[in-house]
């Protein structure tokens, strides 16, 4: 696990640095790079490498506003694993920035001395040994197993000693033309939108429970009819489109749903209901990202809604071509919950736009937060009820606790450990969802997707947040920057930023404004007055997030907050609610 570095800013002015936290690098002077060769030349000059090492472009993506060119670092054909730089170039050729989280390790790269022939399944790499803090020559292996359970093990073994340097499971867990005729045709089907509890407006419990798929009398009326594209083979309709195809490639056996009429109407007691539900929500979500102007996942993803031998788990598997999605049936069937379906598709999305970059504990956690954001954004636009509960039907019940899109325990980003990659996803998702209703679903989704095009191995939450602001600059000339920055600063993902605008985020290192009140970084005495000078009282607060309504029972409006701690003092104007 790499070290997270923190930067604390004191005072009133925040200027974008040339290097941000050792992860984002900007041009020293305005620079154009209209070709891959010009981008390579700029990167080599801006982030030089030791002799014998060079950047090689591994992947390229284009969005409506920018080109993204992902480079790896190589000695001949042997890569320095995880050492990447992702360059953003405006469509007019202007270089915006490079994200290179592990660039500090480039100084330690050894003189190239190792260039063996690959021996399948072994691939030669240089790997950074976290314990010895040095690069070593190593063999990378990837082995896919299905028994006793699904795993895709990636291991790095020291070339000299054979010792295992690092290993991980690459499956991203939730915890020939056969047809004579193939035509996309609009059909209808019954689905949960996004799940039965949200539709009913109730939490899990009472009569609203799974009952091992037997509770049709209560749950079937909560289905809705929706139209979508399916394929007519000449004899029947099948769940196949340019976005997704339902297949049976993993136990238990369950023949995919078909129909002789343009209707897929099944009870949720019928396995074919999950086929339709997963198919519809992936297609709907893919249509949404396409409408925003993003190519995103450029293939029809195979999906098995009845997989993993009935386990209560789901995962994205990119060991196959094309990658696949597996949904388990333990507890609540995962494919019945649009949150689970869209979350897992989110992993396919990130792998498609920034392949082979999901390395590092915090970067792994960021991928989980990415999936959670898509699940929440998608479900919330359908129905606002209980949007804070991620996996509101599959979880938050006797089977498992689910996750949250709100940081209810007020965790602050500095000092968080990401060894458990699922533990703090709500810190990042909370910040995004604070801006979501104000920026709007479509534009907020576009900002998140645009920003993810510049991710790289070793990414931090803080760098990801900066890239969201950069995306707003690319798309909207920064019109939402103050709000985005304020909401990320609520949990100290971004540092406080002073502003001359009415909606200033912060005025000191000790306290700054948020949507509902303010964050204190230490114990403070805070006095609130209205703009007529009426003193509403002084309170002593501990470090954390504080709500003005709860502290002073004030109505919406503007107030002056004066603070004092250990000889330091100040004030700022707050407006909200």
């Amino acid at each position: 696990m790499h070290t997270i570095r923190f930067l604390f800013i004191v005072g009133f002015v925040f200027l974008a640095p040339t290097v941000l936290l050792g992860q984002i690098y900007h041009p020293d002077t305005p620079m154009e790079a209209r070709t891959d060769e010009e981008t390579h030349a700029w990167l080599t000059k801006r982030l030089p490498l030791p002799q014998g090492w060079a950047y090689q472009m591994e992947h390229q993506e284009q969005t409506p506003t920018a080109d993204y060119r992902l480079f790896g670092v190589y000695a001949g054909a042997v890569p320095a694993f995880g050492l990447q730089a992702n360059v953003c170039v405006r469509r007019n050729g202007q270089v915006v920035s490079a994200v290179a989280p592990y660039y500090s390790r480039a100084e330690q790269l050894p003189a190239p001395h190792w260039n063996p022939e690959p021996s399948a399944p072994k691939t030669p790499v240089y790997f950074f040994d976290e314990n010895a803090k040095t690069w070593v020559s190593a063999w990378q292996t990837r082995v896919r197993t299905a028994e006793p359970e699904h795993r895709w093990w990636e291991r790095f073994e020291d070339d000299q000693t054979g010792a295992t340097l690092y290993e991980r499971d690459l499956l991203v867990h939730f915890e020939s033309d056969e047809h004579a005729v193939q035509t996309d045709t609009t059909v209808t089907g019954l689905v949960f939108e996004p799940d039965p509890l949200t539709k009913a407006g109730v939490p899990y419990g009472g009569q609203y429970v799974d009952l091992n798929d037997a509770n049709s009398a209560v749950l079937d009326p909560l289905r809705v009819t929706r139209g979508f594209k399916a394929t007519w083979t000449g004899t029947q309709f099948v769940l196949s489109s340019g976005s997704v195809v339902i297949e049976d490639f993993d136990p238990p056996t369950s023949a995919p749903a078909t129909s002789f009429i343009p209707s897929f109407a099944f009870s949720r007691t019928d396995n074919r209901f999950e086929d339709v539900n997963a198919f519809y929500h992936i297609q709907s979500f893919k249509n949404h990202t396409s409408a925003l102007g993003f190519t995103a996942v450029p293939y029809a993803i195979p999906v098995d809604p009845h997989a993993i031998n009935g386990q209560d788990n789901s995962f994205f598997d990119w060991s196959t071509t094309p990658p696949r999605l597996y949904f388990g049936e333990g507890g609540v069937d995962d494919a019945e919950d649009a949150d689970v379906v869209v979350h897992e598709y989110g992993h396919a999305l990130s792998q498609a736009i920034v392949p082979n970059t999901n390395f590092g504990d915090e970067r792994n956690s960021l991928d989980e937060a990415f999936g959670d954001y898509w699940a929440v954004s998608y479900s919330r636009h359908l129905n606002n009820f209980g949007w804070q509960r991620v996996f509101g039907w599959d979880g938050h019940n006797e089977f498992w606790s689910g996750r949250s899109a709100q940081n209810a325990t007020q965790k602050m980003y500095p000092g968080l450990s990401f060894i458990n990659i699922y533990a703090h996803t709500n810190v990042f998702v909370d910040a995004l969802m604070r801006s979501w209703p104000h920026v709007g679903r479509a534009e907020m989704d576009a900002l998140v997707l645009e920003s993810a095009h510049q991710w790289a191995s070793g990414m931090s939450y803080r760098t990801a947040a900066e890239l969201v602001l950069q995306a707003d600059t690319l798309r909207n000339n920064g019109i939402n920057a103050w709000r985005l920055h304020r909401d990320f600063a609520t949990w100290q993902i971004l540092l406080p930023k002073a502003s001359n605008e009415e909606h200033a985020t912060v005025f000191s290192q000790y306290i700054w404004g948020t949507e509902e009140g303010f964050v204190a970084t230490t114990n403070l005495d805070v006095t609130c007055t209205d703009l007529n000078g009426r003193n509403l009282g002084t309170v002593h607060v501990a470090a954390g997030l504080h709500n003005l309504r709860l502290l002073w029972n004030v109505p919406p409006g503007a107030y002056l907050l004066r603070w004092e701690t250990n000889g330091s003092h100040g004030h700022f104007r707050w407006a909200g609610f």
Side-chain angles (χ1 to χ4, degrees), residues 318-329:
W318 53 284
S319 71
T320 60
T321 303
R324 295 170 166 179
L325 289 178
Y326 296 64
F327 293 101
E329 299 179 297

Side-chain angles (χ1 to χ4, degrees), residues 297-555:
V297 182
Y299 57 86
I301 192 164
V303 174
D304 189 342
H306 314 280
I308 326 176
N309 281 310
Q311 294 179 28
D312 190 9
N313 200 351
S314 295
F315 60 81
F316 167 65
D317 178 7
W318 53 284
S319 71
T320 60
T321 303
R324 295 170 166 179
L325 289 178
Y326 296 64
F327 293 101
E329 299 179 297
V332 174
D333 294 358
D334 286 5
E336 285 189 1
D337 190 333
D339 280 10
V340 181
V341 173
V342 174
H343 171 97
E344 289 303 327
Y345 191 75
H347 291 305
L349 192 58
S350 67
Q351 172 63 17
I353 61 178
V354 278
N356 302 308
T357 64
N358 195 10
F359 179 68
D361 291 339
E362 194 165 348
R363 172 64 179 84
N364 295 160
S365 180
L366 187 61
D367 221 66
E368 294 301 324
F370 186 68
D372 284 2
Y373 168 78
W374 292 120
V376 174
S377 177
Y378 181 80
S379 290
R380 189 176 182 183
H381 102 277
L382 295 171
N383 191 317
N384 202 57
F385 176 81
W387 66 265
Q388 305 90 337
R389 292 192 292 270
V390 189
F391 319 124
W393 172 230
D394 183 69
H396 303 275
N397 51 36
E398 70 267 28
F399 304 115
W400 78 293
S401 59
R403 290 207 286 271
S404 177
Q406 286 189 320
N407 183 14
T409 57
Q410 300 186 15
K411 296 175 288 187
M412 295 294 169
Y413 170 72
L416 292 180
S417 168
F418 292 92
I419 294 176
N420 179 344
I421 65 173
Y422 307 100
H424 308 305
T425 55
N426 60 337
V427 177
F428 196 81
V429 178
D430 182 295
L432 294 173
M433 293 310 295
R434 283 168 174 266
S435 296
W436 189 91
H438 306 286
V439 176
R441 180 221 180 187
E443 187 56 32
M444 195 69 209
D445 286 359
L447 294 179
V448 172
L449 191 49
E450 180 81 40
S451 68
H453 278 75
Q454 207 176 353
W455 287 5
S457 290
M459 280 268 300
S460 69
Y461 276 23
R462 186 162 286 169
T463 297
E466 285 288 352
L467 291 179
V468 174
L469 269 69
Q470 177 180 285
D472 187 59
T473 299
L474 292 172
R475 294 180 57 86
N476 309 306
N477 293 318
I479 192 173
N480 301 299
W482 71 267
R483 183 182 298 280
L484 294 165
H485 197 119
R486 182 198 66 183
D487 292 339
F488 281 119
T490 299
W491 310 120
Q492 300 182 44
I493 298 172
L494 289 184
L495 303 171
K497 180 177 181 179
S499 168
N500 292 325
E501 301 177 24
E502 177 181 348
H503 301 289
T505 302
V506 68
F507 291 84
S508 83
Q509 64 177 344
Y510 301 113
I511 183 173
W512 57 87
T514 67
E515 187 171 29
E516 62 273 82
F518 60 87
V519 168
T521 61
T522 187
N523 294 340
L524 296 172
D525 291 318
V526 184
T527 301
C528 180
T529 60
D530 63 25
L531 297 190
N532 294 321
R534 185 167 62 97
N535 190 324
L536 302 177
T538 300
V539 295
H540 182 77
V541 299
L545 176 65
H546 298 280
N547 189 308
L548 259 67
R549 277 200 183 105
L550 298 179
L551 292 175
W552 290 289
N553 193 29
V554 294

Side-chain angles (χ1 to χ4, degrees), residues 90 114 133 150 180 226 230 235 289 328 343 395 430 477 569:
R90 285 182 184 267
W114 198 53
K133 302 300 179 186
H150 281 281
R226 291 291 178 259
T235 58
T289 59
H343 171 97
D430 182 295
N477 293 318
H569 59 86

